[in-house]
Amino acid sequence: MQSPPTLPKLSEFGLIEQFFAQPALSLSAAQGRIKLGIGDDCALISPRAGYELAVSTDMLIEGRHFLPGVDAALLGHKALAVNLSDLAACGAEPVAFTLSMALPAANADWLAAFSQGLFALADAYEICLIGGDTTKSVQPDGKQAGPICLSITVMGELPQGTALLRSGAQVGDDIYVSGTLGDARLALGHFFKEWALSDASFASTRLRMEQPEPRVTLGVALRGIASSAVDVSDGFLGDLQHILSRSHVGAQVMADALPKSAALQSEPLDRQRLCSLSGGDDYELIFTAAPSHASAVEAAARAATTRITRVGRITADKTLQLLDHDKKPLENRYASFDHFI
Ligand code: ADP
Ligand code: MG
């Protein structure tokens, strides 16, 4: 009987060289920003004169942010997508990112799929992997394998003083949302047997949960037009509340005007509200703009080929008031995701 072929063992540095030397690195490097990428103690970035760097970090932990056994290519996409979404919310153009990984083992098939998913998205947005850290993940006993932990830090650039911030909303501004909300939550509910979806609904909403598309182009197009912005990672109400708190204002939101996919619209009204108002993981943008900028907002959305919907208005009264389709107050019993409560 033939013994199975012995695979060459992957070393830490072999692994980085084999799977994380980004083929398209020269593309962004050619634009002159990345002076030095992977391989030295530091990477070197030289920002354009008159621009500033926008920096953001997001972590993904197995069992917390994704299910064990999830498709590695989709995970590579999502790990970067959730970070690009933060750049989008600031209106920054992606430049570079670092990737830190704690892995229970160096599995070549898993790494090949993960890096393929990661770089497909990186290339689409011309963002360069310039460094990171790679370690084995273990339990506190130091022996048994630990969960997969991924942390990405993204760097983007924007002309000085043009970042879209959570703190800029003004009384009277319109509130908009990009794309549709609630699909990721709808798919998750099916997964955990809270409800049962048709095969077609699960297929389409699962894609939204596993392969979110960051709204980078829209974010950049909204610079100088939107007064504030945030991306929806924990849920519409919770993330809108970040804008309200930092801007010291309130809002009136037409709960049933939140944009929803055909799959979510075919669900009972209460579930539609639950998913769209409090479901996380959508990675759409919530933004505000003065009514006088309404046509500029429309033009920005058209240029970014991204659907947007007006869902409410910023108020001086510092509460977040929900209205139903008859403009009657709707009780807010839709909590957003929080890691510790
Ligand atoms: P140091 O010990 O000085 O922190 P390392 O030996 O950990 O550096 O890493 C060597 C090089 O490989 C560094 O340039 C680092 O940025 C890069 N690197 C390590 N892990 C990754 C990764 N997962 N993705 C991309 N680059 C990485
Ligand atoms: Mg290191």
Side-chain angles (χ1 to χ4, degrees):
M1 207 171 72
Q2 245 187 340
S3 55
T6 45
L7 291 170
K9 271 205 155 166
L10 271 173
S11 72
E12 179 186 336
F13 301 107
L15 178 162
I16 296 164
E17 208 163 292
Q18 188 173 343
F19 298 106
F20 295 102
Q22 186 177 3
L25 178 79
S26 54
L27 187 91
S28 289
Q31 294 170 358
R33 246 69 98 244
I34 315 300
K35 293 296 177 204
L36 186 62
I38 293 176
D40 217 301
D41 292 311
C42 292
L44 299 174
I45 303 176
S46 119
R48 274 190 276 183
Y51 280 66
E52 53 200 6
L53 274 185
V55 180
S56 180
T57 297
D58 255 320
M59 208 154 60
L60 264 74
I61 308 293
E62 181 180 12
R64 188 67 185 164
H65 302 94
F66 61 94
L67 301 163
V70 73
D71 182 287
L74 293 176
L75 185 61
H77 172 102
K78 186 161 176 178
L80 182 57
V82 303
N83 279 279
L84 287 173
S85 178
D86 287 314
L87 289 184
C90 282
E93 290 165 60
V95 173
F97 71 108
T98 60
L99 166 67
S100 296
M101 310 195 288
L103 302 174
N107 176 324
D109 290 341
W110 188 92
L111 284 160
F114 176 82
S115 70
Q116 182 268 320
L118 180 86
F119 285 135
L121 187 66
D123 290 347
Y125 287 98
E126 298 189 7
I127 187 168
C128 235
L129 179 59
I130 58 165
D133 202 18
T134 307
T135 147
K136 188 165 178 157
S137 174
V138 290
Q139 297 292 342
D141 68 8
K143 297 188 187 79
Q144 292 180 71
I148 298 171
C149 303
L150 304 166
S151 175
I152 286 182
T153 298
V154 280
M155 285 146 266
E157 60 175 15
L158 28 73
Q160 259 164 34
T162 62
L164 303 176
L165 302 177
R166 297 175 177 186
S167 53
Q170 305 288 327
V171 174
D173 281 356
D174 290 318
I175 304 169
Y176 297 86
V177 181
S178 67
T180 61
L181 294 173
D183 274 0
R185 178 67 182 87
L186 189 61
L188 197 69
H190 175 87
F191 200 89
F192 285 121
K193 301 201 162 33
E194 281 174 82
W195 47 70
L197 299 180
S198 68
D199 288 350
S201 282
F202 185 49
S204 67
T205 55
R206 177 183 194 163
L207 206 63
R208 292 291 313 270
M209 173 173 70
E210 293 183 335
Q211 219 170 1
E213 200 51 55
R215 299 299 187 188
V216 172
T217 317
L218 178 65
V220 170
L222 288 171
R223 276 196 320 235
I225 298 169
S227 53
S228 73
V230 67
D231 66 319
V232 183
S233 53
D234 296 332
F236 171 83
L237 290 177
D239 289 316
L240 173 60
Q241 188 58 54
H242 293 315
I243 288 185
L244 305 185
S245 303
R246 295 196 69 100
S247 301
H248 309 291
V249 292
Q252 236 182 22
V253 170
M254 300 169 285
D256 297 319
L258 293 194
K260 292 173 276 268
S261 68
L264 184 52
Q265 282 180 45
S266 68
E267 296 294 317
L269 182 61
D270 198 47
R271 193 172 302 157
Q272 290 188 32
R273 288 176 175 167
L274 171 81
C275 291
S276 59
L277 288 164
S278 73
D281 258 8
D282 287 314
Y283 302 100
E284 296 294 353
L285 297 184
I286 303 172
F287 61 95
T288 59
S292 59
H293 284 352
S295 55
V297 167
E298 292 294 337
R302 262 197 312 280
T305 57
T306 306
R307 166 183 170 182
I308 56 161
T309 308
R310 199 183 79 79
V311 299
R313 175 148 297 174
I314 295 293
T315 59
D317 169 16
K318 289 184 187 142
T319 57
L320 202 177
Q321 199 188 1
L322 292 179
L323 302 179
D324 68 9
H325 33 232
D326 296 323
K327 300 217 164 90
K328 292 214 186 75
L330 183 69
E331 191 198 344
N332 182 359
R333 45 195 177 79
Y334 304 99
S336 278
F337 183 78
D338 185 297
H339 277 284
F340 293 106
I341 54 173

